[in-house]
């Protein structure tokens, strides 16, 4: 380890991982007669017999294990994990930021957490008001008119947005067939457009990594329903010609859809509505710091202009003249319901708590995210190759081009980072950067964490140059080393079968 890394990690915290240990599967700890609870024998008459068809049957081969073994097993597993609570988690495009604990406290208040979704409106005024307030604040931040909170993820928000565009075009008697999407877009964009019944046409980015106006002009016909543009795009670059882009799209009667998953880079600084954007989804689990854990629950609200508002999913939350709140289910042009009830309500509470904590200083979120990404960029420039050198917003995309000369690829670098105690960055995405290493530190990271990450990345680059084998054989400190990822994806074995023993 270089002196530089030693100094940096000592100044912060040395996050290199210790040697791995073998943690058997919980099934392998099972032993006949072990039980996970201890209750005294029943010495009173049984009050209510459980009907036979509802009683649990003993399953042959069921795991029998004591409570203390269960507690230790899962605690040990959790220590093998990488988490945002341990350190910087540079997974580009995912915005893995710290989730303030106050938000958790607020979301657990019984008035919110125990509210029944079928409770009548008279006793649900507080929960409805919170949803209404969140809608208002998101409308203010986006500069758009109305917002639906229903979608459960960014991708579902995209689908909702494109369905609203389709409904508006159909209503105006001008249905169209195609959606334009740049080659730097997130994979969910073409999937959502296709799901909504559109053909997708891909637009090639220019040398700056942004949308090429000539390419757009040529593709933007009167058969195009919308351009789906990620702002800033997945290279972390702002579409600096957005006003001209909006003009070209609107001139042909199309809609400008903004994938606002990266809103964390300009929230509180600029308003998408003022840029000519008609419809935009946001990811509460990215910009507004609601947890991602285990894939969700996410929340992907969609903001729209006044002209798209009639098509919002129903029901909408409305405030009546007397100040009370109600659900409006009678919207005739609505695209309908996207999911049960109001959406992932707990996420609304956390997001509103987060936004309220900043108040009108919310632009600090964006400034911090941009500053941190550029700090990492400056610390690694010259060490890793940067294909597009336009200014970075919230993330920076390097490539493995320099290290590939020694046979070391992005995957190897990502694996080696785990030995240094960091979750790997996103690799091989966006597709337009060969060997991409997509790094997003987020605004909640302090300087020591950024310095430790930069030092680790520099050290790996040195290793790749002087001793590539150490990187190629990484990780060295995880219980499972290299897995055959292609075989694992093609031959998905998710079940442990006792008769076959342990699956590795
Ligand atoms: C740019 C972009 N668009 C869309 C999505 C999809 O969001 P979700 O994963 O919530 O469906 C993401 C997710 O990270 C994203 O980064």
């Amino acid at each position: 380890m270089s002196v530089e890394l030693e100094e940096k990690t000592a100044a912060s915290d040395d996050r290199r991982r210790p040697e791995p240990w073998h943690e058997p599967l919980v099934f392998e700890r099972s032993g006949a007669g072990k039980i996970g609870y201890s209750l005294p024998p029943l010495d009173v008459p049984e009050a209510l017999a459980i009907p036979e068809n509802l009683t649990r049957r003993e399953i042959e081969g069921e795991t029998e294990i004591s409570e203390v073994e269960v507690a230790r097993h899962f605690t040990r597993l959790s220590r093998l994990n990488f988490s945002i609570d341990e350190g910087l988690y540079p997974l580009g495009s995912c915005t893995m930021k710290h989730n303030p604990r106050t938000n958790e406290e607020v979301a657990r208040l019984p008035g919110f957490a125990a509210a029944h979704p079928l409770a009548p409106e008279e006793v649900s005024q507080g929960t409805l008001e919170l949803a209404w307030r969140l809608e208002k604040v998101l409308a203010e931040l986006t500069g758009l008119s109305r917002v639906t909170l229903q979608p459960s993820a960014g991708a579902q928000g995209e689908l909702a947005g494109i369905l609203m565009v389709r409904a508006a075009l159909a209503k105006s008697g001008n249905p169209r067939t195609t959606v334009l999407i740049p080659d730097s877009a997130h994979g969910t964009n073409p999937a959502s457009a296709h799901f909504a019944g559109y053909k997708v046409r891909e637009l090639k980015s220019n040398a700056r990594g942004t949308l090429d106006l000539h390419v757009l002009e040529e593709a933007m016909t009167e058969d195009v329903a919308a351009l789906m543009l990620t702002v800033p795009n997945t290279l972390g670059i702002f579409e600096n010609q957005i006003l001209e882009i909006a003009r070209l799209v609107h001139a042909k009667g199309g809609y400008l859809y903004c994938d606002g998953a990266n809103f964390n880079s300009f929230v509180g600084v600029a308003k998408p509505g003022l840029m000519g954007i008609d419809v935009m989804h946001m990811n509460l689990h990215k910009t507004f710091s609601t947890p991602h854990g285990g894939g969700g629950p996410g929340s992907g609200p969609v903001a729209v202009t006044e002209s798209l508002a009639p098509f919002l999913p129903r029901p909408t939350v409305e405030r009546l003249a007397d100040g009370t709140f109600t659900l409006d289910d009678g919207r005739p042009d609505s695209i309908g319901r996207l999911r049960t009830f109001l959406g992932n309500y707990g996420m609304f509470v956390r997001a509103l708590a987060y936004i309220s904590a900043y108040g009108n200083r919310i632009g600090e979120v964006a400034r911090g995210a941009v500053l941190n990404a550029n700090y990492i960029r400056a610390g690694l420039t010259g060490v890793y190759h940067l294909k597009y050198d336009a200014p970075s917003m919230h993330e920076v995309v390097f490539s493995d081009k320099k290290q590939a000369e020694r046979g070391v690829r992005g995957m190897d670098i990502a694996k080696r980072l785990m030995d240094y105690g960091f979750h790997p960055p996103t690799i091989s995405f966006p597709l337009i950067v060969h060997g991409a290493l997509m790094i997003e530190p987020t605004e909640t990271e302090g300087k020591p964490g950024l310095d430790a990450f930069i030092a680790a990345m520099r050290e790996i680059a040195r290793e790749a140059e002087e001793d590539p084998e150490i990187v190629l054989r990484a990780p060295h400190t995880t219980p499972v080393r290299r897995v055959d990822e292609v075989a694992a994806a093609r031959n998905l074995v998710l079940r442990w079968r006792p008769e076959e023993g342990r699956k590795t």
Side-chain angles (χ1 to χ4, degrees), residues 93 153-155 158 186 188-189 230 234 259 261-262 281 283 285-286:
S93 200
E158 292 166 25
H186 198 262
T188 48
N189 288 195
T230 306
T234 54
D259 177 330
N262 301 331
H281 87 263
N283 298 42
H285 47 287
K286 292 181 45 159

Side-chain angles (χ1 to χ4, degrees), residues 164-185:
M164 284 188 258
V165 166
R166 194 178 75 170
L169 288 168
K171 174 111 182 162
S172 66
N174 182 21
R176 299 178 172 204
T177 64
T178 305
V179 167
L180 304 178
I181 305 182
D183 56 5
S184 64

Side-chain angles (χ1 to χ4, degrees), residues 13 89 204 249 252 292 306 390 399:
D13 56 338
Y89 199 113
K204 206 168 154 33
V249 171
K252 297 285 179 183
H292 293 53
E306 198 61 51
S399 88

Side-chain angles (χ1 to χ4, degrees), residues 159-393:
L159 178 65
I162 292 296
L163 287 177
M164 284 188 258
V165 166
R166 194 178 75 170
L169 288 168
K171 174 111 182 162
S172 66
N174 182 21
R176 299 178 172 204
T177 64
T178 305
V179 167
L180 304 178
I181 305 182
D183 56 5
S184 64
H186 198 262
T188 48
N189 288 195
S192 302
H194 176 76
F195 214 68
Y198 285 110
K199 283 191 282 192
V200 171
R201 179 160 170 201
E202 189 177 274
L203 304 183
K204 206 168 154 33
S205 302
N206 59 23
R208 184 182 180 269
T210 49
L211 185 59
D212 190 314
L213 286 188
H214 299 297
V215 173
L216 174 65
E217 215 164 356
E218 182 267 317
M220 190 62 222
T221 66
E222 286 182 359
D223 198 29
V224 170
L227 166 69
M228 280 182 101
L229 192 65
T230 306
V231 186
N233 66 22
T234 54
L235 294 163
I237 302 174
F238 194 80
E239 292 286 346
N240 58 346
Q241 292 179 300
I242 183 90
L243 297 178
E244 185 57 11
I245 291 171
R247 197 192 60 73
L248 287 174
V249 171
H250 292 151
K252 297 285 179 183
Y255 286 87
L256 181 54
Y257 182 98
C258 172
D259 177 330
N262 301 331
F263 196 29
N264 55 317
S265 64
F266 66 104
V267 61
V269 175
K271 294 189 179 188
L274 301 180
M275 299 175 193
I277 286 159
D278 301 296
V279 43
M280 159 175 160
H281 87 263
M282 292 151 271
N283 298 42
L284 295 188
H285 47 287
K286 292 181 45 159
T287 303
F288 299 111
S289 167
T290 67
H292 293 53
S299 185
V302 187
V304 295
T305 53
E306 198 61 51
S307 68
L308 286 172
F311 308 98
L312 284 167
R314 65 170 172 245
T316 52
V317 181
E318 306 291 341
R319 184 159 74 167
L320 301 174
D322 66 358
T324 60
F325 297 89
T326 187
L327 290 174
D328 179 8
D329 224 336
R331 306 172 69 83
D333 291 329
S334 164
I335 59 165
R337 206 179 236 296
L338 285 172
R339 52 154 296 149
T340 49
F341 310 119
L342 294 184
N344 277 330
Y345 191 84
M347 299 303 129
F348 306 169
V349 184
R350 288 172 175 86
L352 190 60
Y354 186 72
I355 296 168
S356 307
Y358 279 97
N360 61 9
R361 293 181 300 110
I362 188 94
E364 285 175 18
V365 167
R367 290 192 189 94
V370 173
L371 177 67
N372 282 356
N374 281 283
Y375 188 77
I376 287 186
R377 176 183 166 140
L380 296 179
T381 294
V383 181
Y384 291 89
H385 174 251
L386 197 59
K387 180 172 174 189
Y388 297 100
D389 71 352
S392 293
M393 295 290 284

